[in-house]
Amino acid sequence: MIYRTIASIAQRDRSFFVSLINQATTLSQLNQTHAHLIRHSITTDLITITKLTHKLFDFKAISKAKNVFTTFNKTNPPDLFLYNVLIRGYSKNNLPFESLSLYLQLIKNTTLKPDNFTFAFIVSAFSSNGYEKVGVLIHGHLLVSGFSKDVFVGSALVDMYMNFSRISYAYKVFDEITERDGVLWNTMVSGLVKNCCFEESIRVFRDMVARGARFDSTTLAVVLAAVAELQELRNGMSIHCLVVKMGYYSHEYVLTGLISLYSKCGDVSAASMLFRMIREPDLISCNAMIAGFCFNNENESSVRLFRELLVQGEKVNSSTIVGLIPVSCPFGHLNLTSSIHGFCVKSGMVSNPSVSTALTTVYSRLNEMELARRLFDESPQKTLASWNAMISGYAQNGLTEMAISLFREMQKLDIYPNPVTITSILSACAQLGTLSMGKWVHDLIKKEKFESNIYVLTALVDMYAKCGNIEEARQVFDSIVEKNVVTWNAMISAYGLHGRGREALVLFDEMLDSGVSPTGVTFLCVLYACSHAGLVEEGEKLFHSMIHDHGIEPLSEHYACMVDLLGRAGKLENALEFIYRMPLEPGAAEWGALLGACMVHKNIDLARLASDKLFALDMGSVGYYVLLSNIYSADRNYFQAASVRKVLKNKNLAKTPGCTLIEVNGHQHVFTSSDQSHPQAVAIYAKLEELMEKMREAGFHAETSTALHDVEEEEKEMMVKVHSEKLAIAFGLLTSEPGTEIRIIKNLRVCVDCHNFTKFVSKVTDRVIVVRDANRFHHFKDGECSCGDHW
């Protein structure tokens, strides 16, 4: 053995000992070499000591490396290279403040000047979450020192800001560097993917190729991940061709990226074929295939491959488990999720942030919110992804106040949101109708420089529309330079929601002119807009065009929308004929739309037919029974109305209680029917009486046809007079400035009497009143409603 011969060999030159250091494969061997360095008095040789220190850090012998440096420093001045080795060593071993201490020692106690390597290493030391303020200070140091345009330093800075989700800062650093190398481009692309900015990452990659920058297999693997997330098979196949052309087909991690691509685009057979091409699949490629099977709801195949790994003695990791958890297709897999959860607890992997986040996501999607929150609370390391999963879970399950509360908690902890966080919280604001909160989030978007993110801006359009501010929604929409189909759909849907069918049609034509192809969702949005604006002829043309010009097969929702369109326009027989001509078996949506139209046009015979079909299909829906009862009441057939309500009672089906929300000065107030609990209840009812007096003088009569039939007319009038929206409007008039707009949100469809009431209020008070009910928005002004009295 070479170490035994050292003692008998005369003192050799530096290259001999540097070679021994390089050959050391264990810390024990390195220690023996160090002993001979001491024995032969070579501990003062700078190059040898630098190499030894570097190797000690590789073996994670931190204290020993520090002692070697300290001992050397007592008698000899270290050069910048040795300082850089130590700063990098501390950084690589997750000891950022030791790196910082040495950096400060370098600039304060020596005449040496930091170079690009020094700054790159110290920036990397503080790239982890929680160190942003230090990282920004170091950025300031290197700016003053003139290294802002250095490509090596720039890569470290871009990586740091991407880790902090400060995408705009990363772009600023990136844009200032004119001569970019492959590492910088890769760092930018991978950072965008890490922050879920998939479209932007593809755009940067295209720019990279267009500029003739050299890309490698790492670049291709990263951009494949972005295309896979977007499920853009055509783009993915183009990159596949590029992979073959550039000779990277044999690279396993590129093949793994292709497996993920085809899996997420639904072609699991192509993914399996690629997997079989790998002679000896490693754990990473197996993980990709497990995830691919799971994504396509082939859970048996996924579990089988997982078991094979265990049988082979392969040590699975967190990525294996995340791929196995049925995140994309959770429904019907609660038992599987629970089993995986149990395995994670036993193996200790439940504490892994990515595993915990995946389980939280699945439990949230299965509406198991207590389990999801328990996992979140017990997680020792909450990443941004875990916060996003919990906030999104609350928003998706209608627990909007919980979502907003958790977001505020996140803000207090100085955890910076990313685009996923913002879209989730905007969804919560849209559901709750909290315009003030939505505007605050909009300000946050500007502050965090997320204004270029298409998903954030689309969510912002949706939020403003659903909070009643259609003009602001359009302004945001117009500010988006490159709109995708989801963005167009959001704005078309917004116009439909607000009863502005003509604008929806104009926007649809603009979308076609822009070259964006409509989807089935697009046609659903524009048909809905036609339905609520009474545009029958236009709606029929669109439906025909969807099938014959765009080759889109109508779904049940499209047929229901057409029934609604014809029914609202009073063409009930045409609507019934349309149902009978459907190639699909008509369901609750179609018959429900017809029943709703029968209510508007008071057609008892068709209502009875539609309700019979509905009760045969959907026995548990309260709304259909209530609607039929109201139709009978409107026709003064009180016996039949009572019979329907008796069926409701016998089936233990309870009507959802109506409630109305109004936001005043940033505070939300919720009213229920005949509510007396509000602190200003006396003033509210007094205001209501005052309004009723003025409205009667203007010709208002209460609509009592759908009130309970077994009470006197005066009592019926009192019953409808205290519906929740009336109380909310009265409160709004009491607490808002004269002439300002009043906005309210009701959880149910607004009744005929309250609709008529609100029209008169807008007239006698000269106020604009915006009402969002369960179906749509109503804009009341000067005694008229935007819906044209058919909703």
Side-chain angles (χ1 to χ4, degrees):
M1 185 178 175
I2 195 165
Y3 291 98
R4 293 176 182 172
T5 66
I6 293 176
S8 62
I9 298 173
Q11 183 176 345
R12 298 298 182 96
D13 59 13
R14 171 196 301 153
S15 61
F16 173 75
F17 286 103
V18 168
S19 175
L20 286 180
I21 292 168
N22 285 333
Q23 291 174 42
T25 56
T26 66
L27 183 58
S28 174
Q29 290 178 354
L30 195 61
N31 286 337
Q32 290 180 55
T33 302
H34 187 197
H36 286 288
L37 288 175
I38 296 169
R39 181 179 176 185
H40 292 285
S41 302
I42 308 182
T43 54
T44 57
D45 183 76
L46 179 61
I47 294 175
T48 308
I49 289 302
T50 301
K51 191 65 186 176
L52 176 65
T53 307
H54 188 283
K55 196 74 170 181
L56 285 167
F57 274 118
D58 288 346
F59 285 124
K60 300 190 181 299
I62 313 300
S63 58
K64 193 166 181 63
K66 185 177 181 180
N67 287 336
V68 169
F69 174 77
T70 305
T71 304
F72 179 84
N73 193 27
K74 286 177 181 177
T75 55
N76 305 276
D79 66 354
L80 183 59
F81 191 82
L82 180 53
Y83 269 105
N84 286 348
V85 165
L86 264 85
I87 291 170
R88 179 182 179 274
Y90 285 133
S91 173
K92 289 282 186 182
N93 286 279
N94 199 26
L95 295 166
F97 288 101
E98 280 78 357
S99 287
L100 182 61
S101 176
L102 201 64
Y103 167 74
L104 294 173
Q105 181 183 325
L106 168 66
I107 62 176
K108 289 180 179 179
N109 301 336
T110 75
T111 58
L112 300 170
K113 299 291 182 184
D115 63 4
N116 58 341
F117 291 100
T118 317
F119 283 116
F121 296 152
I122 194 68
V123 166
S124 297
F126 288 93
S127 287
S128 303
N129 283 332
Y131 300 128
E132 182 174 353
K133 290 180 181 178
V134 183
V136 171
L137 286 172
I138 295 166
H139 189 180
H141 271 239
L142 67 90
L143 282 170
V144 172
S145 301
F147 287 96
S148 61
K149 294 185 179 180
D150 182 89
V151 67
F152 191 59
V153 176
S155 295
L157 282 170
V158 167
D159 183 61
M160 179 186 79
Y161 283 124
M162 286 298 186
N163 286 341
F164 299 147
S165 294
R166 295 290 191 170
I167 297 162
S168 61
Y169 293 177
Y171 265 120
K172 194 169 183 179
V173 172
F174 182 78
D175 291 340
E176 284 183 359
I177 301 170
T178 52
E179 295 185 13
R180 303 162 187 158
D181 64 1
V183 175
L184 178 58
W185 282 102
N186 285 354
T187 305
M188 193 68 197
V189 174
S190 62
L192 289 167
V193 172
K194 192 190 303 178
N195 282 278
C196 303
C197 300
F198 305 117
E199 289 186 332
E200 288 185 53
S201 70
I202 295 168
R203 183 183 60 76
V204 171
F205 173 70
R206 283 175 178 157
D207 189 25
M208 178 183 182
V209 174
R211 289 171 183 250
R214 187 174 179 179
F215 58 87
D216 55 19
S217 55
T218 303
T219 325
L220 292 169
V222 171
V223 81
L224 276 170
V227 177
E229 289 297 328
L230 293 171
Q231 297 178 21
E232 293 182 351
L233 184 57
R234 184 173 293 179
N235 276 339
M237 292 175 78
S238 298
I239 296 170
H240 191 166
C241 292
L242 196 59
V243 166
V244 176
K245 183 180 177 181
M246 301 303 293
Y248 292 123
Y249 211 62
S250 59
H251 289 249
E252 285 194 8
Y253 45 92
V254 174
L255 275 175
T256 301
L258 288 168
I259 290 167
S260 295
L261 165 74
Y262 286 107
S263 295
K264 290 191 175 178
C265 291
D267 194 348
V268 74
S269 59
S272 298
M273 184 187 70
L274 286 164
F275 181 70
R276 289 192 297 272
M277 287 175 62
I278 304 173
R279 290 184 180 179
E280 294 183 6
D282 62 3
L283 183 60
I284 297 172
S285 53
C286 287
N287 289 351
M289 198 63 248
I290 287 170
F293 283 131
C294 188
F295 186 84
N296 288 278
N297 207 20
E298 295 188 15
N299 298 94
E300 288 185 11
S301 299
S302 182
V303 172
R304 189 184 306 117
L305 184 52
F306 174 71
R307 282 176 177 160
E308 285 176 16
L309 285 175
L310 295 180
V311 169
Q312 291 166 10
E314 187 74 53
K315 191 175 181 181
V316 298
N317 59 19
S318 58
S319 297
T320 321
I321 301 299
V322 170
L324 190 65
I325 297 169
V327 176
S328 54
C329 305
F331 305 106
H333 298 304
L334 180 58
N335 289 337
L336 174 61
T337 304
S338 299
S339 299
I340 297 168
H341 189 175
F343 178 87
C344 292
V345 171
K346 288 179 181 178
S347 62
M349 277 195 277
V350 73
S351 60
N352 182 281
S354 57
V355 171
S356 176
T357 300
L359 287 169
T360 300
T361 302
V362 173
Y363 283 134
S364 295
R365 288 179 180 175
L366 294 171
N367 201 19
E368 297 286 342
M369 295 310 297
E370 287 185 14
L371 282 170
R373 186 57 192 256
R374 194 184 310 153
L375 259 171
F376 175 77
D377 289 338
E378 290 174 356
S379 178
Q381 184 186 348
K382 293 180 178 66
T383 61
L384 180 58
S386 63
W387 284 92
N388 287 347
M390 199 66 241
I391 290 169
S392 175
Y394 280 135
Q396 288 166 5
N397 286 284
L399 301 169
T400 49
E401 291 181 350
M402 294 291 286
I404 292 170
S405 174
L406 195 62
F407 178 65
R408 284 177 171 150
E409 185 182 328
M410 177 180 159
Q411 291 280 294
K412 288 176 185 175
L413 294 171
D414 287 333
I415 299 170
Y416 293 99
N418 68 2
V420 176
T421 328
I422 297 296
T423 52
S424 294
I425 207 65
L426 282 172
S427 172
C429 293
Q431 289 178 50
L432 204 56
T434 53
L435 184 60
S436 60
M437 180 71 180
K439 285 181 175 179
W440 179 81
V441 176
H442 192 175
D443 290 338
L444 186 64
I445 289 166
K446 294 173 183 176
K447 180 184 173 186
E448 299 293 336
K449 310 293 185 186
F450 290 143
E451 293 161 296
S452 62
N453 188 284
I454 187 71
Y455 301 106
V456 169
L457 292 179
T458 300
L460 199 58
V461 169
D462 185 64
M463 182 278 294
Y464 274 122
K466 288 178 179 173
C467 288
N469 197 332
I470 188 73
E471 287 75 21
E472 190 69 38
R474 183 60 197 249
Q475 282 183 26
V476 174
F477 175 81
D478 288 338
S479 74
I480 303 172
V481 180
E482 292 185 18
K483 304 173 180 72
N484 62 19
V485 68
V486 180
T487 311
W488 286 98
N489 290 351
M491 195 64 230
I492 292 169
S493 173
Y495 278 134
L497 198 62
H498 287 264
R500 293 162 70 163
R502 293 287 177 191
E503 282 108 323
L505 287 171
V506 169
L507 197 63
F508 176 72
D509 288 337
E510 286 179 19
M511 175 184 172
L512 296 180
D513 291 340
S514 74
V516 176
S517 299
T519 64
V521 175
T522 314
F523 279 100
L524 195 60
C525 293
V526 75
L527 284 172
Y528 175 90
C530 290
S531 173
H532 284 271
L535 304 173
V536 179
E537 187 178 336
E538 292 85 347
E540 288 180 322
K541 286 180 180 177
L542 278 166
F543 188 77
H544 183 273
S545 174
M546 177 179 74
I547 301 169
H548 299 287
D549 298 336
H550 296 277
I552 296 172
E553 192 71 28
L555 301 175
S556 175
E557 293 87 350
H558 297 99
Y559 289 112
C561 214
M562 284 302 295
V563 173
D564 189 61
L565 174 72
L566 295 166
R568 284 177 188 277
K571 299 184 176 184
L572 297 178
E573 294 296 335
N574 294 40
L576 182 63
E577 185 183 343
F578 183 86
I579 290 174
Y580 285 140
R581 284 192 287 107
M582 278 174 55
L584 305 177
E585 186 68 29
E590 290 81 14
W591 292 114
L594 183 61
L595 184 62
C598 291
M599 171 64 193
V600 174
H601 298 286
K602 299 180 175 58
N603 188 314
I604 300 298
D605 293 333
L606 272 184
R608 190 179 293 113
L609 170 66
S611 61
D612 286 344
K613 298 286 187 181
L614 279 167
F615 298 151
L617 289 167
D618 193 359
M619 299 299 290
S621 178
V622 179
Y624 300 139
Y625 287 96
V626 172
L627 195 55
L628 183 61
S629 173
N630 288 344
I631 292 170
Y632 282 129
S633 293
D635 194 50
R636 297 187 178 276
N637 191 340
Y638 298 127
F639 176 77
Q640 288 292 344
S643 298
V644 174
R645 290 185 182 270
K646 187 176 180 181
V647 171
L648 261 179
K649 189 174 181 180
N650 291 340
K651 291 180 177 291
N652 292 318
L653 297 175
K655 180 178 179 288
T656 304
C659 64
T660 302
L661 178 146
I662 184 170
E663 187 177 3
V664 177
N665 299 324
H667 297 284
Q668 294 176 347
H669 302 262
V670 179
F671 294 90
T672 57
S673 187
S674 305
D675 200 343
Q676 300 279 348
S677 62
H678 197 277
Q680 293 176 254
V682 174
I684 291 168
Y685 278 90
K687 185 67 177 178
L688 200 53
E689 281 298 328
E690 178 191 323
L691 282 172
M692 293 297 288
E693 193 62 38
K694 288 181 180 179
M695 291 193 307
R696 286 192 193 99
E697 291 174 6
F700 173 74
H701 296 284
E703 171 62 56
T704 61
S705 61
T706 57
L708 295 180
H709 65 274
D710 54 348
V711 290
E712 294 298 323
E713 194 69 22
E714 188 177 336
E715 290 180 73
K716 288 182 186 179
E717 189 171 329
M718 177 59 71
M719 289 173 67
V720 293
K721 187 170 71 174
V722 289
H723 276 186
S724 60
E725 52 264 60
K726 293 180 180 178
L727 297 173
I729 290 169
F731 177 69
L733 291 168
L734 277 173
T735 54
S736 61
E737 292 293 323
T740 57
E741 190 174 270
I742 295 173
R743 299 169 185 268
I744 65 170
I745 300 172
K746 186 173 182 183
N747 65 326
L748 304 177
R749 181 178 181 271
V750 65
C751 74
V752 175
D753 179 67
C754 286
H755 192 269
N756 198 28
F757 166 87
T758 311
K759 285 201 299 182
F760 271 86
V761 171
S762 72
K763 184 176 181 179
V764 300
T765 62
D766 196 27
R767 293 283 196 108
V768 173
I769 302 172
V770 180
V771 179
R772 176 177 131 185
D773 71 4
N775 294 336
R776 56 171 299 162
F777 275 90
H778 303 259
H779 295 257
F780 297 91
K781 184 179 180 181
D782 299 327
E784 300 292 332
C785 179
S786 59
C787 75
D789 292 346
H790 70 115
W791 69 100

